[in-house]
Amino acid sequence: MDISKDLIRGHTDTIILNILSQGDSYGYQVSKSIRSLSDNQYSLNEATLYTAFRRLEKIGEIESYWGDETQGARRKYYKITSSGRQHLEAALNEWQFAKNIISHLISGEVTEGDNL
Amino acid sequence: MDISKDLIRGHTDTIILNILSQGDSYGYQVSKSIRSLSDNQYSLNEATLYTAFRRLEKIGEIESYWGDETQGARRKYYKITSSGRQHLEAALNEWQFAKNIISHLISGEVTEGDNL
DNA sequence: CAAATTACTTTGACAAACACAGTAATTTGT
DNA sequence: ACAAATTACTGTGTTTGTCAAAGTAATTTG
């Protein structure tokens, strides 16, 4: 992984919700999707991922069910709820907004007026 | 404040280094600069700011000295070091890079290939 | 002279992320 | 047939950054 975890912090839930908004999935697959969506630049620690699942389920943004795999290991599937979709949309809007503010904060010029 | 703290997390040091790269400053003024640079959308908690100062000083990215104020409250000034400037530049590059990755992660399409 | 502002500091709490370890099944290579 | 690798989920304990709240102390404003 190349990019600092703290830059991703605050996006974890949104990342998961984005992936689940495109279809039900389970931990291992979500993990691989994250690696793939980031062009192998980022991978979420397993513990972090499952912690996020539990957090999102607790607040009703996702639901889970055990898949009935005839072969392969058992899988717990996660499904986004309508509340989760709302949250996802809100987060995307916030990001568009925050991106500019962050850019100002880390590279903007401090004008004299700021001292008044 | 309008934007979530977790979106800023990971940028705090960079924000401070950016401000100090434009001239020595002290806590209260940095705090106001942040509010101003963000168009009043974000303000950093005082405790967080001073914690960051201590952290940055400890790792040698800033240095501090007491101002000799003839009037007004005493002020501890902070100065960016060359190591701090290097870190700032690296962080700005990382941000350019991370911005795109985050965008992919939170709104990119998961392709079938991701499941393989 | 009280209240507001400037300015810095400490303490204690919390939440997210992580490393690490563990459980358990299945698939692959030899 | 068996060991190794992979798939898949879970739990524990620690670290880190941020924050709220409170405190200290000076100066300026009404």
Side-chain angles (χ1 to χ4, degrees), chain A residues 67-74:
Chain A
D68 53 345
E69 323 306 330
T70 45
Q71 26 71 281
R74 93 236 126 105

Side-chain angles (χ1 to χ4, degrees), chain B residues 6 9 12 19 25 31 33 35 37 40-41 52-53 58 62 75 77 80-81 94 98 100-101 108 110 112:
Chain B
D6 275 336
R9 195 180 179 122
T12 305
I19 291 168
S25 190
S31 172
S33 293
R35 227 174 292 130
L37 278 169
N40 292 304
Q41 300 301 309
F53 278 144
K58 199 170 168 185
I62 61 174
R75 294 167 174 172
Y77 283 86
I80 191 171
T81 64
E94 195 190 356
N100 294 318
I101 294 182
V110 181
E112 285 93 273

Side-chain angles (χ1 to χ4, degrees), chain B residues 78-98:
Chain B
Y78 294 94
K79 180 187 185 59
I80 191 171
T81 64
S82 64
S83 161
R85 281 185 198 280
Q86 273 178 265
H87 184 125
L88 172 59
E89 201 158 328
L92 291 178
N93 287 332
E94 195 190 356
W95 168 241
Q96 287 309 317
F97 189 69

Side-chain angles (χ1 to χ4, degrees), chain A residues 6 22 29 36 94 110 114, chain B residues 4 9 22 36 108 110 114-115:
Chain A
D6 274 335
Q22 300 176 46
Q29 196 178 31
S36 153
E94 195 190 355
V110 181
D114 296 344
Chain B
S4 124
R9 195 180 179 122
Q22 301 175 46
S36 153
V110 181
D114 296 344
N115 304 337

Side-chain angles (χ1 to χ4, degrees), chain B residues 1 31 42-51:
Chain B
M1 184 215 317
S31 172
Y42 189 71
S43 62
L44 199 61
N45 184 285
E46 267 189 283
T48 307
L49 179 62
Y50 289 106
T51 301

Side-chain angles (χ1 to χ4, degrees), chain B residues 2-36:
Chain B
D2 249 340
I3 95 173
S4 124
K5 318 94 213 132
D6 275 336
L7 291 187
I8 301 291
R9 195 180 179 122
H11 295 288
T12 305
D13 291 358
T14 313
I15 291 167
I16 294 172
L17 291 175
N18 173 45
I19 291 168
L20 294 184
S21 79
Q22 301 175 46
D24 296 4
S25 190
Y26 54 94
Y28 212 69
Q29 196 179 32
V30 168
S31 172
K32 281 189 295 176
S33 293
I34 289 174
R35 227 174 292 130
S36 153

Side-chain angles (χ1 to χ4, degrees), chain A residues 13-21 61-62 80 84 87-88:
Chain A
D13 291 1
T14 313
I15 291 167
I16 295 172
L17 291 175
N18 172 45
I19 291 168
L20 295 184
S21 79
E61 301 197 353
I62 61 174
I80 191 171
H87 184 124
L88 172 58

